[in-house]
Amino acid sequence: MSAHILAVDDSASMRQMVAFTLKAAGYEVTEAEDGAVALGLAKQGKYKLVLADVNMPNMDGLTLVKNLRMLPDYRFTPLLMLTTESTPEKKAEGKAAGATGWLVKPFNPEQLIATIQKVIG
Amino acid sequence: MTLDLSRFHQTFFDESFEGLDTMEAALLQLDPAAVDAETINTIFRAAHSIKGGSGTFGFTAVASFTHLLETLLDQMRSGKRVITAGNVDLLLKSSDAVRELLHAAKEARQANVELIAHHQQALEAALATDGSAAAVAEAEPTPEVADGWRIRFLPQPSLFRSGNEPMRILRELASLGPLSAEPVLDASLTLVDSLPEDAHLGWQLTLAAPVNEAVVREVFSWVEDECTLVIESIKAVAEAPPGKPQLTVIEGGKGRALPDDRRSSDRRSGERRGDAAAPANGVAAAGGGGSIRVPTEKIDLLINLVGELVITQAMLAQQAGVLDPTLCEKLLAGLGQLDRNTRQLQESVMSIRMLPMDFVFSRFPRLVHDLAAKLGKQIRLDTIGADTELDKSVIEKIADPLTHLVRNSLDHGIESAEERIAAGKPAEGSITLKAGHRGGNIVIEIIDDGRGLNRERILAKARSNGLDVSDSMSDSDVNQLIFAPGFSTAEVVTDVSGRGVGMDVVKKNIHALNGQVDLASKPGKGTHITIRLPLTLAILDGMSIAVGNEVFIVPLASVVESLQARREDVHTVGGAGRVVRVRNEMVPLMALHDLVQLPVTSAPEHNLFILIESEGRKLALAVDELLGQQQVVVKSLESNYRRVPYMSGATILGDGRVALILDAAELVRRTAPALAA
């Protein structure tokens, strides 16, 4: 069974691009348009990896990561941030929230797949 | 693997334009004196998404411009930069530039280089005013290359809890070149304080790969603050700069405390969904969010098909009229059911195309803001009924006339603050845009509390234009004069409203939508313009009339009355022209038979007329018979057949016959002499 990934981004084009790319690489993908929706989905099922945008309405990516880390199912799950900022402060913020790592936007489909494969094979 | 990303471009453009609209609305709401953190966040998020998407989809010009915009916004968001009216203005102009760049990208054309460069300079200048906050490129360290690397990697116990896995890092290093690893155990560790979820194992690694230090460091980038990392070159190249340490040590630190703004966003995240930017996002979301994006053509096709269905249903109903109700009871009951279902289907399909008036109204706060600043006036804009829904095609066509009317109110209607105070009015002028349903129509009103129309000036202008006017004309007749072609009483043509488009064009555009425009004005008190529009262009309320054996439809909006004139009321004037007296008013007369070249079937003394009005002129049409009032599904003649003079479209009647729809405006224009009052 292919790994199930939760892709979270308020931008429909980014989310569709991520989902399309990952599906093409053989992963199963569920989309969520903000942190609140993602958190609800994550509670209902176990995802092997979560890819989340940082800036989103309703619940931002950092809050999502913090909330996910508190769930028993997601204590060790790779949680990757999709971010446009690559400053050390922003990365530290992500790490402090409990993120595993990040993927800096803009990225192309090849980079996305390479990163995901590195993390979950 | 190469994937074609162009399939996501349309979604990207759609959401980016929506993002810009949200941004613009939020910017206009922004009060520099009392800044709301969520408003700033909404604006920032819009810019941020556009930047992220444009970078990903390869629109680099958009990405680099939005980057500047985002930097400025980020400084405002974090409190590093004070929000001033000047900043808001700069952001508004920058959003225009982003819009232009996006349009250019969408249409694959060159963007307006001057405009972009101008705004880019303004943004850069603003960013440069505070050197400390502006993005300063960090000095890039000279890349250091070695034959190989000795790496001491000691994870902190918490490493697993961020979802990281040391094996992934080792695998990645091994992909760079031959790797040997020796485990390093924490000697001080006892079984008592070791937790199974903690990372206690470290490694001494040797990587025999001639790569840059940065490449090695990149492998550890996700965990560099969760471990002790020592990277040492095995044999440095000779030209390594002197004095540069060959040993780099990064001491892992605990996660830093979160800044305050992050905490406040935590609190907000607990709030219910659906505030601030959420509605816009709800509409924009594709999939998952309960709404979908569908190309307009698909909906148009659906509406067209439903139109055909309505016609078929009407035909069946008409055929069924001759059936014996007792013999065909079930069939007739079924037809009744079909009738109801068809109507419901039609209504729901039409509602898909409905857009809230906000679609048009939302552009006015910006327009009023900009123009008021330009004209040095103080103007408040209120919109009422922005959620009133109207067919998309009507909404798109009403935007320009409305813009023109609002510009007019701003420019000519509202006085300067001094003038207003002298007249005993509040310094701030007011413009109200109002939309609502009235009967089967949408009524849009533009109300200002400005100086109103000047009767004397209009009359003087009319005389100088050679129009036939008299001082005894009623106020409403005088007001109607401003809709005459080439009419403008403004002494100075400004670049605000004096753009060569007159009120006549406004009226023509509204008439083209089967709508009407009325104007009421009180000197010194203001002007009230009322636009009445049909809910949709696909269905028309019409009066069916017969000429010979043919049926024609007259749009009900242009019908004034139907009347039977006495023979002595019909006069011949000049050459062949005829007029009919209607309550002391001479109205030009035209026989529809002549126009469509059909034989007269009714007796000449029948003298049945229907009086139509368009653009303030009346025309009496002689017809054979009035058949009644009905809704018809409008079919385009141009796309189905060809343009026919004096006809605006066609419809299919219940019995399957085609009926042409008369173009009242064209009839009046071509046949009635100017201002036949």
Side-chain angles (χ1 to χ4, degrees):
Chain A
M1 200 185 79
S2 60
H4 198 164
I5 296 174
L6 182 59
V8 196
D9 201 316
D10 59 326
S11 153
S13 61
M14 283 302 296
R15 200 170 62 231
Q16 286 170 14
M17 179 274 207
V18 165
F20 178 79
T21 305
L22 294 178
K23 281 176 187 164
Y27 296 101
E28 197 180 334
V29 186
T30 297
E31 299 175 38
E33 76 260 28
D34 64 38
V37 174
L39 189 60
L41 286 167
K43 283 176 181 168
Q44 286 163 26
K46 170 91 172 97
Y47 295 88
K48 190 90 178 278
L49 183 143
V50 180
L51 264 173
D53 183 30
V54 178
N55 278 286
M56 293 183 289
N58 299 318
M59 184 190 281
D60 64 39
L62 293 171
T63 313
L64 169 67
V65 166
K66 261 189 254 177
N67 279 302
L68 284 174
R69 279 283 176 245
M70 284 189 270
L71 301 175
D73 273 353
Y74 290 90
R75 292 186 64 193
F76 307 110
T77 306
L79 308 176
L80 301 187
M81 313 296 309
L82 297 174
T83 169
T84 46
E85 352 252 345
S86 49
T87 61
E89 295 80 36
K90 294 286 172 189
K91 288 179 177 174
E93 260 180 37
K95 289 302 292 190
T100 304
W102 49 81
L103 193 57
V104 179
K105 288 183 196 173
F107 51 82
N108 59 41
E110 294 75 27
Q111 290 165 324
L112 172 65
I113 292 170
T115 305
I116 301 298
Q117 282 174 344
K118 237 161 51 183
V119 180
I120 54 174
Chain B
M1 179 167 63
T2 309
L3 292 166
D4 178 17
L5 296 186
S6 62
R7 71 179 70 206
F8 306 112
H9 288 178
Q10 189 54 46
T11 314
F12 165 71
F13 287 125
D14 288 352
E15 78 192 359
S16 295
F17 286 126
E18 271 166 32
L20 281 176
D21 291 346
T22 310
M23 191 161 140
E24 206 172 278
L27 278 170
L28 291 166
Q29 248 178 40
L30 205 60
D31 176 4
V35 176
D36 169 34
E38 185 53 41
T39 310
I40 288 280
N41 244 331
T42 305
I43 300 168
F44 175 80
R45 215 156 40 219
H48 186 80
S49 290
I50 295 172
K51 179 186 144 189
S54 52
T56 300
F57 299 118
F59 303 118
T60 43
V62 184
S64 60
F65 189 92
T66 324
H67 175 71
L68 293 173
L69 185 61
E70 189 200 20
T71 310
L72 191 69
L73 280 165
D74 195 33
Q75 291 173 5
M76 292 179 171
R77 190 170 69 136
S78 58
K80 284 186 204 142
R81 183 177 290 274
V82 194
I83 296 161
T84 62
N87 279 339
V88 172
D89 210 49
L90 175 64
L91 290 172
L92 278 170
K93 290 192 174 123
S94 303
S95 73
D96 287 345
V98 175
R99 204 181 284 275
E100 161 65 13
L101 282 167
L102 280 167
H103 275 298
K106 187 177 180 182
E107 292 150 24
R109 63 165 165 89
Q110 186 70 38
N112 182 339
V113 184
E114 263 171 54
L115 178 88
I116 306 304
H118 176 76
H119 291 309
Q120 184 155 347
Q121 278 163 14
L123 268 179
E124 277 162 355
L127 285 167
T129 54
D130 186 356
S132 66
V136 179
E138 287 167 31
E140 286 284 314
T142 350
E144 199 177 337
V145 184
D147 291 341
W149 299 93
R150 234 190 314 277
I151 305 153
R152 193 170 177 84
F153 171 45
L154 305 174
Q156 284 179 3
S158 65
L159 185 82
F160 295 137
R161 281 193 286 277
S162 69
N164 275 296
E165 165 62 67
M167 286 313 291
R168 167 187 73 78
I169 294 164
L170 300 194
R171 270 201 309 268
E172 210 176 325
L173 279 175
S175 72
L176 296 173
L179 179 79
S180 62
E182 259 179 69
V184 178
L185 269 167
D186 185 350
S188 64
L189 189 76
T190 64
L191 265 178
V192 180
D193 51 27
S194 76
L195 290 164
E197 295 179 353
D198 285 351
H200 296 299
L201 198 61
W203 286 269
Q204 180 65 51
L205 306 158
T206 310
L207 175 66
V211 292
N212 276 346
E213 181 180 340
V215 175
V216 179
R217 203 161 279 290
E218 179 62 32
V219 176
F220 292 94
S221 64
W222 289 356
V223 296
E224 61 186 9
D225 56 354
E226 285 178 294
C227 68
T228 305
L229 185 66
V230 182
I231 300 176
E232 211 180 341
S233 59
I234 292 177
K235 193 185 118 203
V237 286
E239 56 266 37
K244 185 163 172 80
Q246 307 243 324
L247 195 73
T248 321
V249 180
I250 292 176
E251 284 296 331
K254 297 210 172 213
R256 279 167 237 191
L258 291 175
D260 278 343
D261 62 341
R262 192 45 66 197
R263 265 192 229 123
S264 66
S265 81
D266 291 353
R267 181 174 47 72
R268 273 196 309 278
S269 68
E271 285 170 14
R272 193 177 54 84
R273 297 198 53 187
D275 46 14
N281 273 305
V283 174
S291 64
I292 52 164
R293 239 182 238 290
V294 180
T296 331
E297 305 87 70
K298 282 194 182 176
I299 295 177
D300 288 345
L301 178 67
L302 188 61
I303 287 184
N304 206 7
L305 286 172
V306 170
E308 301 286 351
L309 185 64
V310 169
I311 291 166
T312 313
Q313 188 275 324
M315 280 183 197
L316 285 173
Q318 190 162 341
Q319 300 295 323
V322 299
L323 296 177
D324 184 338
T326 48
L327 288 174
C328 312
E329 192 188 333
K330 283 193 178 148
L331 179 66
L332 291 173
L335 284 172
Q337 181 74 28
L338 179 67
D339 178 38
R340 283 189 295 279
N341 291 347
T342 315
R343 246 167 247 288
Q344 279 173 1
L345 177 66
Q346 190 182 20
E347 272 169 30
S348 6
V349 168
M350 296 307 294
S351 73
I352 299 179
R353 271 175 64 110
M354 294 293 187
L355 285 177
M357 268 312 285
D358 193 42
F359 199 76
V360 178
F361 279 2
S362 63
R363 67 159 73 176
F364 290 113
R366 174 73 189 271
L367 184 99
V368 172
H369 170 97
D370 288 0
L371 288 188
K374 202 170 187 174
L375 296 164
K377 294 179 181 177
Q378 296 172 32
I379 297 169
R380 194 185 71 242
L381 175 77
D382 294 305
T383 51
I384 300 168
D387 54 353
T388 307
E389 289 191 326
L390 194 55
D391 191 275
K392 185 172 183 287
S393 54
V394 182
I395 284 227
E396 281 164 355
K397 286 177 188 145
I398 197 64
D400 283 344
L402 263 187
T403 308
H404 189 80
L405 291 172
V406 171
R407 276 174 189 277
N408 259 339
S409 278
L410 273 161
D411 198 10
H412 306 311
I414 305 280
E415 314 91 327
S416 66
E418 302 80 54
E419 217 177 308
R420 290 180 64 88
I421 292 166
K425 294 201 228 179
E428 191 184 51
S430 149
I431 293 182
T432 307
L433 285 174
K434 214 164 145 184
H437 289 271
R438 214 169 291 167
N441 291 321
I442 291 277
V443 177
I444 303 168
E445 290 160 280
I446 301 129
I447 307 155
D448 73 52
D449 69 345
R451 56 170 75 92
L453 294 180
N454 186 323
R455 182 187 160 95
E456 298 314 315
R457 225 197 279 170
I458 293 172
L459 284 173
K461 174 79 185 178
R463 281 198 192 94
S464 75
N465 270 14
L467 298 181
D468 181 21
V469 292
S470 73
D471 285 333
S472 61
M473 277 170 79
S474 72
D475 280 351
S476 77
D477 286 346
V478 172
N479 290 342
Q480 285 296 327
L481 287 172
I482 69 163
F483 291 113
F487 208 91
S488 171
T489 59
E491 280 125 8
V492 185
V493 173
T494 65
D495 66 343
V496 175
S497 54
R499 283 168 185 255
V501 183
M503 291 290 275
D504 58 323
V505 178
V506 169
K507 189 160 186 178
K508 206 173 97 194
N509 289 347
I510 292 168
H511 276 267
L513 293 168
N514 287 321
Q516 282 175 308
V517 53
D518 290 310
L519 184 143
S521 180
K522 276 194 187 131
K525 296 266 190 243
T527 306
H528 188 147
I529 297 169
T530 310
I531 299 170
R532 224 171 282 270
L533 291 170
L535 279 172
T536 170
L537 292 182
I539 293 176
L540 176 95
D541 272 316
M543 167 89 86
S544 40
I545 54 173
V547 172
N549 291 322
E550 296 295 323
V551 177
F552 293 87
I553 308 289
V554 186
L556 210 56
S558 27
V559 175
V560 182
E561 61 183 319
S562 54
L563 56 127
Q564 210 157 6
R566 284 172 309 202
R567 174 161 276 199
E568 57 266 36
D569 286 337
V570 179
H571 305 274
T572 306
V573 288
R578 285 196 298 163
V579 292
V580 58
R581 180 194 295 274
V582 182
R583 286 184 290 277
N584 292 328
E585 192 183 347
M586 300 306 262
V587 179
L589 172 67
M590 190 178 70
L592 208 47
H593 318 93
D594 299 341
L595 182 72
V596 296
Q597 291 159 5
L598 285 169
V600 187
T601 51
S602 60
E605 63 276 7
H606 202 69
N607 279 336
L608 188 60
F609 299 108
I610 120 164
L611 200 61
I612 59 172
E613 186 182 14
S614 174
E615 294 164 29
R617 303 180 206 163
K618 286 182 184 145
L619 176 71
L621 280 177
V623 300
D624 285 347
E625 206 179 335
L626 296 177
L627 299 173
Q629 202 177 312
Q630 72 179 101
Q631 279 201 334
V632 297
V633 180
V634 181
K635 298 273 169 194
S636 162
L637 277 170
E638 280 94 333
S639 56
N640 292 313
Y641 176 53
R642 61 177 170 83
R643 169 133 185 79
V644 180
Y646 306 110
M647 302 297 157
S648 65
T651 190
I652 301 169
L653 298 172
D655 59 8
R657 284 194 295 164
V658 171
L660 293 171
I661 301 167
L662 294 177
D663 185 340
E666 200 184 345
L667 278 172
V668 170
R669 223 175 9 248
R670 295 277 185 87
T671 55
L675 276 179

